[in-house]
Amino acid sequence: MEKAEILVELKKNKSAMAGLVIIAMLVALAVIGPWISPYHPLIPDPINRLKGPSWAHLFGTDSLGRDILSRVIYGSRISIIIGLIAVSISLIPGTLLGLLSGFYGRKVDEPIMRTMDIMLAFPAILLAIFITAILGPSLLNTMIAVGIVYIPHYARIVRSSVLSLKEQLFVQAVRSLGGSNLRIIALHIFPNTLPPIIVYATLGMGTAVLQAAALGFLGLGAQPPTPEWGAMLSEGRQYIQNAPHVAAFPGLAIFMLVLGFNLFGDGLRDILDPSLR
């Protein structure tokens, strides 16, 4: 599909547009956060600890008296950055491995795919916990761990596309005209693998945010006092009975961001996959 056609179809797709609106709002919130945040996200105020939502603190305060709305606003930056970096870490090597595996066949395919199969044999969250435990708990290591976990997914998606594309007549024509393998991969096969990669990367953003939040909830992600949504949710669980707002608002923020990326990703899949149109 041409870019103009994709934009037209995108505007018609209510799911994609709803997801795009949610993402745009959260990105705007992350960008202008420092100017609209009512309080500093790290400065405690013990006198006002565990206060419920009010006009002074719209989302209430946490166990140290910090304004939860301000922390959620600053946390949006962290979660979006986590998603972008984690997806990049998995997308780039995963795409490269998938291209090499699918194009060059058995001698290259076997070792790459068997390694991917081994990684896929572990539940994603357990593998992420294992990697983070080795590297140490931190925000950077969380992004690395989540990125590594999803490399096999991109590798398998790209490989399946390459296996069908390399037998197409246009590829055979380029090869018969003396085109090198590198030229065929870079100029003819890779561009045609982009639609499924784009769709999966969009859906993967939501998954990466969710996985990072899970690691933060377990204490393996961002460390206090960083206003990361998963860590905030973890802190709030011990006050769930007498101050449920401490966990509710970070949880709602995670829900909205993941929902936005999932809706947008589903909409893109409907547009870019000919079998679904």
Side-chain angles (χ1 to χ4, degrees), residues 94 116 120 124 149-158 200:
M116 299 299 103
L120 288 170
V149 164
Y150 287 98
I151 287 175
H153 296 254
Y154 290 93
R156 292 179 73 89
I157 288 171
V158 174
Y200 195 81

Side-chain angles (χ1 to χ4, degrees), residues 217-275:
F217 182 82
L218 295 171
L220 295 172
Q223 299 301 296
T226 305
E228 193 271 323
W229 291 343
M232 292 170 65
L233 194 61
S234 177
E235 178 192 352
R237 63 180 172 175
Q238 57 187 310
Y239 307 106
I240 198 70
Q241 291 185 337
N242 61 337
H245 65 276
V246 178
F249 289 110
L252 182 61
I254 295 169
F255 168 78
M256 291 303 297
L257 183 58
V258 174
L259 177 66
F261 280 115
N262 285 348
L263 288 174
F264 186 59
D266 284 341
L268 274 182
R269 181 185 59 195
D270 295 342
I271 294 166
L272 296 176
D273 189 344
S275 65

Side-chain angles (χ1 to χ4, degrees), residues 122-136 145 149 215 220:
F122 294 93
I125 187 63
L126 290 182
L127 186 56
I129 290 171
F130 176 72
I131 295 170
T132 309
I134 292 174
L135 298 176
V149 164
L215 291 174
L220 295 172

Side-chain angles (χ1 to χ4, degrees), residues 25-277:
M25 289 173 60
L26 289 171
V27 169
L29 191 66
V31 171
I32 65 175
W35 291 276
I36 65 171
S37 177
Y39 299 91
H40 194 284
L42 303 181
I43 297 177
D45 182 12
I47 297 175
N48 290 312
R49 64 186 301 271
L50 298 178
K51 295 288 186 180
S54 64
W55 287 113
H57 300 278
L58 292 179
F59 285 6
T61 61
D62 64 8
S63 60
L64 296 177
R66 296 170 298 194
D67 182 63
I68 293 176
L69 174 59
S70 301
R71 289 177 63 77
V72 167
I73 290 173
Y74 275 84
S76 63
R77 283 185 165 190
I78 296 172
S79 291
I80 291 170
I81 290 171
I82 285 174
L84 289 171
I85 294 179
V87 166
S88 299
I89 290 171
S90 54
L91 186 151
I92 295 171
T95 300
L96 180 59
L97 290 171
L99 287 170
L100 295 175
S101 177
F103 188 82
Y104 286 105
R106 180 165 297 178
K107 289 184 178 179
V108 177
D109 184 46
E110 283 294 325
I112 292 176
M113 283 299 106
R114 295 302 74 79
T115 302
M116 299 299 103
D117 289 341
I118 291 170
M119 293 178 67
L120 288 170
F122 294 93
I125 187 63
L126 290 182
L127 186 56
I129 290 171
F130 176 72
I131 295 170
T132 309
I134 292 174
L135 298 176
S138 72
L139 188 58
L140 176 60
N141 291 342
T142 294
M143 292 185 283
I144 293 172
V146 173
I148 291 174
V149 164
Y150 287 98
I151 287 175
H153 296 254
Y154 290 93
R156 292 179 73 89
I157 288 171
V158 174
R159 174 182 176 270
S160 64
S161 296
V162 173
L163 287 174
S164 62
L165 286 168
K166 73 176 185 178
E167 302 301 330
Q168 297 292 319
L169 289 176
F170 72 91
V171 174
Q172 301 297 333
V174 174
R175 183 177 283 113
S176 66
L177 292 172
S180 65
N181 288 340
L182 181 61
R183 181 181 180 84
I184 292 171
I185 292 173
L187 299 182
H188 301 281
I189 290 182
F190 173 66
N192 286 287
T193 64
L194 285 177
I197 293 174
I198 291 170
V199 170
Y200 195 81
T202 306
L203 291 169
M205 283 285 292
T207 305
V209 170
L210 206 56
Q211 292 283 4
L215 291 174
F217 182 82
L218 295 171
L220 295 172
Q223 299 301 296
T226 305
E228 193 271 323
W229 291 343
M232 292 170 65
L233 194 61
S234 177
E235 178 192 352
R237 63 180 172 175
Q238 57 187 310
Y239 307 106
I240 198 70
Q241 291 185 337
N242 61 337
H245 65 276
V246 178
F249 289 110
L252 182 61
I254 295 169
F255 168 78
M256 291 303 297
L257 183 58
V258 174
L259 177 66
F261 280 115
N262 285 348
L263 288 174
F264 186 59
D266 284 341
L268 274 182
R269 181 185 59 195
D270 295 342
I271 294 166
L272 296 176
D273 189 344
S275 65
L276 297 176
R277 293 203 302 273

